[in-house]
Amino acid sequence: MSNAFARRLQIDNPIFLAPMAGEAAKAPLVAAVSNAGGLGVLGAGYLSPEKLLATIAEIRSLTSRPFGVNLFVMEPGVRDPRGADEMARAMARYHAELGIEAPALPSHLEENYLQQIDAVLQAKVPVFSFTFGVPSASVIDALKGAGAFLMGTATTVDEAIDLEARGIDAVVAQGAEAGGHRGTYLSEDFNGAMIGIMALVPQVADAVHVPVVAAGGIADRRGVRAAFALGASAVSVGTAFLTTIESGVSDAYKLALTGPGSRKTGVTRVFSGRPARGVRNRFMEEMHEFESAAPMYPVTNALTRDMRRAAGQQGRAEFLSLWAGQAAPLSRNWSVAQLMEELREGLDPSVRASSPGAA
Ligand SMILES: Cc1cc2nc3c(=O)[nH]c(=O)nc-3n(C[C@H](O)[C@H](O)[C@H](O)COP(=O)(O)O)c2cc1C
């Protein structure tokens, strides 16, 4: 083992903040991880190009170290709203409970991915990562031309091979344990792509020559040690960072992650239209019949947006998408530096920088 991968990224330790779009996508958390010697990655999928540029500028004001930006690969096109009316009718009772207007599909479904890419190119980010697909060859060339190191998300060995073949610099092997959306893109068979990192990481490491980043269920030194034993060159940790002091997520979300309910997570389509893992809650349970009927992402995501926003303001966790991985109960309310130190303890001494922030 060596820390060649960390050196290539010009970071101290090969520990990444997993990109997390939504509430957690804020500059202070990203910068705190980079400042602690890891790689902070901004989940920018829901940010407008202007907000994306402003957040990158804020990250740069908080750290001089490398960081990453992550986007959902969603080529612009016509979205299929079938099923939205039926779902809106079923959701009306929740809007009434929250005291907000009846649900309706907004005209603004999502941010424009190609405009987001333009912002990333303009900002010349050191690392660019992505999920839900692979950017086109011309976008890949442009990003490389702008000096970005590219990382793509794979949930199967086939996806890892595909990413390497398209010239991606590192593969994030996202295990079934992972919180948030599944990155699966080569097949519609999301169930078939639910492979735990114990099985996925060694197979991906055998199948590709580029560095493999393990993501899913890693929350302490034991997980880090295991991931490296399986053939990973870095780890990407999401859920465990959500409860840190620097994380900008709501108290209701933090409580749900550290409470006993977080022992039960599930993969659902009812919040966004795309399978994602989160703490089981009332909306997931009661809307179960829409698991297959919910319109495809991003339609359902747009349809549930008002409900989720109001629930956040009112501290009603039963209506929030509480994205979390299967190791959520290991989360603690402590600082990024403390969590980074815990994770660093799992690195082999040949990989670990001598002291946090040593480079
Ligand atoms: C709240 C949340 C939001 C996420 N958003 C994104 C995202 O925008 N882009 C992405 O590639 N992965 C996203 N993920 C997946 C993570 O990058 C990563 O795969 C996952 O957090 C790893 O599992 P863990 O949460 O058990 O550590 C998200 C995960 C969570 C928990």
Side-chain angles (χ1 to χ4, degrees), residues 222-242:
R222 296 168 295 183
V224 173
R225 209 173 284 142
F228 277 80
L230 294 167
S233 297
V235 293
S236 186
V237 176
T239 304
F241 278 105
L242 291 172

Side-chain angles (χ1 to χ4, degrees), residues 125-206:
V125 301
V127 175
F128 177 73
S129 85
F130 54 87
T131 187
F132 298 0
V134 191
S136 64
S138 60
V139 168
I140 291 175
D141 285 349
L143 287 162
K144 285 192 166 181
F149 181 91
L150 303 184
M151 300 199 290
T153 307
T155 58
T156 62
V157 174
D158 286 346
E159 287 171 352
I161 291 170
D162 181 55
L163 290 168
E164 180 176 51
R166 293 174 193 236
I168 304 308
D169 301 309
V171 170
V172 180
Q174 186 190 41
E177 304 89 336
H181 284 104
R182 306 292 306 145
T184 306
Y185 70 92
L186 273 185
S187 152
E188 303 277 294
D189 179 14
F190 283 89
N191 279 335
M194 291 297 287
I195 306 165
I197 63 170
M198 182 77 93
L200 183 63
V201 170
Q203 293 182 70
V204 169
D206 284 350

Side-chain angles (χ1 to χ4, degrees), residues 106-356:
S107 54
H108 179 75
L109 293 180
E110 62 193 313
E111 297 304 327
N112 183 303
Y113 154 76
L114 290 175
Q115 289 171 6
Q116 290 174 316
I117 288 284
D118 282 342
V120 168
L121 288 170
Q122 193 185 321
K124 293 205 184 304
V125 301
V127 175
F128 177 73
S129 85
F130 54 87
T131 187
F132 298 0
V134 191
S136 64
S138 60
V139 168
I140 291 175
D141 285 349
L143 287 162
K144 285 192 166 181
F149 181 91
L150 303 184
M151 300 199 290
T153 307
T155 58
T156 62
V157 174
D158 286 346
E159 287 171 352
I161 291 170
D162 181 55
L163 290 168
E164 180 176 51
R166 293 174 193 236
I168 304 308
D169 301 309
V171 170
V172 180
Q174 186 190 41
E177 304 89 336
H181 284 104
R182 306 292 306 145
T184 306
Y185 70 92
L186 273 185
S187 152
E188 303 277 294
D189 179 14
F190 283 89
N191 279 335
M194 291 297 287
I195 306 165
I197 63 170
M198 182 77 93
L200 183 63
V201 170
Q203 293 182 70
V204 169
D206 284 350
V208 300
H209 301 96
V210 294
V212 178
V213 183
I218 301 168
D220 62 18
R221 68 184 70 185
R222 296 168 295 183
V224 173
R225 209 173 284 142
F228 277 80
L230 294 167
S233 297
V235 293
S236 186
V237 176
T239 304
F241 278 105
L242 291 172
T243 53
T244 58
I245 293 158
E246 292 88 340
S247 142
V249 310
S250 66
D251 289 343
Y253 193 175
K254 284 187 176 177
L255 268 175
L257 292 170
T258 49
S262 72
R263 290 187 193 141
K264 275 195 193 165
T265 64
V267 175
T268 184
R269 284 185 68 247
V270 297
F271 279 108
S272 72
R274 192 179 167 91
R277 183 180 294 284
V279 177
R280 286 187 179 279
N281 63 0
R282 186 177 151 203
F283 188 75
M284 260 165 91
E285 305 289 348
E286 293 184 1
M287 292 293 284
H288 187 72
E289 62 185 288
F290 285 90
E291 278 304 341
S292 51
M296 299 289 275
Y297 184 94
V299 175
T300 297
N301 197 56
L303 187 60
T304 64
R305 198 183 291 139
D306 284 350
M307 177 190 73
R308 290 181 284 114
R309 185 175 300 141
Q313 285 159 357
Q314 298 178 26
R316 301 281 298 266
E318 68 260 52
F319 301 128
L320 292 176
S321 49
L322 301 167
W323 300 146
Q326 288 178 327
L330 296 172
S331 306
R332 294 168 61 168
N333 297 116
W334 54 2
S335 68
V336 162
Q338 284 171 305
L339 174 55
M340 283 294 289
E341 186 51 29
E342 166 62 29
L343 296 168
R344 212 175 72 90
E345 285 296 324
L347 294 173
D348 188 86
S350 64
V351 173
R352 186 165 56 204
S354 51
S355 66

